[in-house]
């Protein structure tokens, strides 16, 4: 999966960050040609700011469903400090996408948020809206597993995205950290099944993603998280990042 832009970065950070729908579509086409099988979608307003808007998302998805019918098209519900959980949930309910990413820490900021969060998770499960749960640390994964056991999150099969490291570099992405998540999932696998993915930051992104794939996970790559190739050079565009990872995959794991 390619994450082309995210909620925060702009062309001052890298000139190839796609901000308009047309630029995003061009980027998705280029990334699909280099091996991407899915895209994590962020939309921006006319000032380039992060936006959650169901009608805008639907128009973009309608175009992509024609141009890249085989791709996995996932929208984000990220708050980016601009939206509250109720607004995020309302957008997802209105759009009713096939695939959406949702951060547990944004749905449940305090224990008082659990009733509304459980109602939202249950609604999604009953309406064929497949949530990929974003988790930022092993402690969050444990909280997620505990919530499943307590009946706060329904279902016995879950999609997960683990975030390794941080934008500001205060938490470094290291391949050795990936095993912590996979080991925790293995312990829970007798009762629950998982389809998990990883994203990482900086020049370590490629090696972290390769380690995730080696351990049975999937990879989210792109300019939302890192501009850098494995050798530390800055990539020309998202397609170059996709191509580097794809070229290093075992032949039996290429789409």
């Amino acid at each position: 999966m390619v994450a082309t832009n995210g909620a925060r970065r702009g062309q001052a950070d890298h000139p190839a960050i796609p901000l308009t729908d047309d630029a995003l579509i061009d980027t998705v086409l280029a990334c699909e040609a280099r091996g991407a099988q899915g895209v994590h979608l962020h939309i921006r307003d006319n000032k380039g700011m992060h936006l959650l808007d169901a009608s805008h998302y639907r128009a973009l998805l309608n175009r992509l469903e024609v141009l890249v019918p085989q791709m996995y098209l996932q929208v984000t519900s990220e708050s980016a400090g601009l939206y509250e959980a109720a607004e995020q949930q309302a957008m997802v309910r209105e759009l009713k996408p096939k695939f959406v990413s949702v951060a547990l820490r944004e749905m449940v900021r305090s224990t008082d948020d659990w009733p509304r969060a459980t109602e939202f998770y249950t609604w999604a499960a009953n309406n064929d809206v497949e949530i990929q749960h974003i988790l930022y640390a092993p402690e969050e994964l444990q909280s997620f597993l505990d919530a499943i056991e307590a009946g706060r999150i329904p279902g016995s099969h879950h999609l997960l995205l683990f975030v390794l490291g941080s934008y500001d570099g205060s938490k470094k992405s290291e391949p050795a950290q990936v095993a912590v998540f996979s080991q925790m999932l293995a312990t829970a696998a007798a009762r629950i099944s998982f389809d998990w993915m990883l994203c990482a930051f900086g020049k370590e992104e490629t090696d972290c993603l390769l380690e995730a794939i080696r351990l049975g996970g999937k990879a989210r790559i792109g300019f939302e998280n890192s501009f850098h190739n494995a050798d530390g050079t800055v990539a020309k565009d998202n397609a170059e990042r996709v191509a580097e990872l794809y070229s290093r995959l075992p032949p039996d794991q290429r789409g």
Side-chain angles (χ1 to χ4, degrees):
M1 176 185 289
V2 61
T4 67
N5 52 7
R8 296 169 177 81
R9 289 174 164 171
Q11 292 182 337
D13 300 297
H14 195 295
I17 292 254
L19 300 181
T20 67
D21 288 5
D22 287 345
L24 181 56
I25 287 170
D26 288 344
T27 300
V28 171
L29 291 171
C31 290
E32 185 196 36
R34 305 299 289 273
Q37 298 169 326
V39 58
H40 173 70
L41 297 166
H42 284 256
I43 52 175
R44 304 292 185 95
D45 64 16
N46 56 12
K47 295 181 180 179
M49 297 296 293
H50 174 62
L51 181 66
L52 295 182
D53 182 271
S55 60
H56 188 154
Y57 262 136
R58 175 47 58 200
L60 177 60
L61 288 169
N62 286 343
R63 294 175 68 183
L64 287 170
E65 285 165 358
V66 172
L67 293 169
V68 286
Q70 302 305 314
M71 287 193 83
Y72 178 100
L73 305 176
Q74 179 194 78
V75 304
T76 186
S77 67
E78 183 176 352
S79 77
L82 300 174
Y83 297 93
E84 297 298 326
E87 297 172 293
Q88 296 166 267
Q89 293 170 16
M91 185 280 294
V92 176
R93 287 176 185 268
E94 182 181 351
L95 179 61
K96 200 180 287 188
K98 294 179 181 177
F99 309 109
V100 60
S101 63
V102 177
L104 179 64
R105 62 167 61 174
E106 293 183 355
M107 294 296 103
V108 184
R109 293 177 170 89
S110 74
T111 55
D112 292 340
D113 294 328
W114 268 117
R116 176 176 284 182
T118 296
E119 181 184 1
F120 172 68
Y121 292 133
T122 302
W123 170 88
N126 291 338
N127 284 272
D128 298 321
V129 174
E130 193 163 42
I131 291 176
Q132 183 184 52
H133 302 274
I134 304 177
L135 304 168
Y136 290 84
E139 295 79 13
E140 286 195 19
L141 173 56
Q142 188 58 58
S143 295
F144 179 80
L145 296 173
D146 292 343
I148 295 172
E149 288 293 329
R152 297 190 179 113
I153 298 176
S156 58
H157 178 73
H158 296 280
L159 276 63
L160 309 177
L161 173 73
F162 301 128
V163 181
L164 206 63
S166 62
Y167 283 103
D168 62 8
S170 60
K171 294 181 180 179
K172 189 175 181 181
S173 301
E174 298 179 355
Q177 298 168 345
V178 183
V180 176
F181 292 106
S182 66
Q183 289 165 2
M184 291 177 68
L185 293 183
T187 301
R191 306 178 306 281
I192 312 163
S193 62
F194 303 96
D195 184 337
W196 64 277
M197 181 175 283
L198 186 92
C199 68
F201 296 85
K203 67 183 181 63
E204 293 81 15
E205 179 186 43
T206 301
D207 288 340
C208 290
L209 297 182
L210 289 169
E211 179 67 2
I213 292 168
R214 187 185 72 82
L215 292 173
K218 296 178 180 177
R220 196 185 88 175
I221 193 168
F223 280 7
E224 175 169 353
N225 299 107
S226 177
F227 302 134
H228 292 88
N229 295 315
D231 63 3
T233 60
V234 175
K236 179 182 72 173
D237 53 26
N238 278 283
E240 184 176 315
R241 293 297 303 118
V242 171
E244 180 184 62
L245 180 64
Y246 190 82
S247 71
R248 295 177 63 177
L249 293 177
D252 63 345
Q253 292 181 327
R254 299 178 184 176

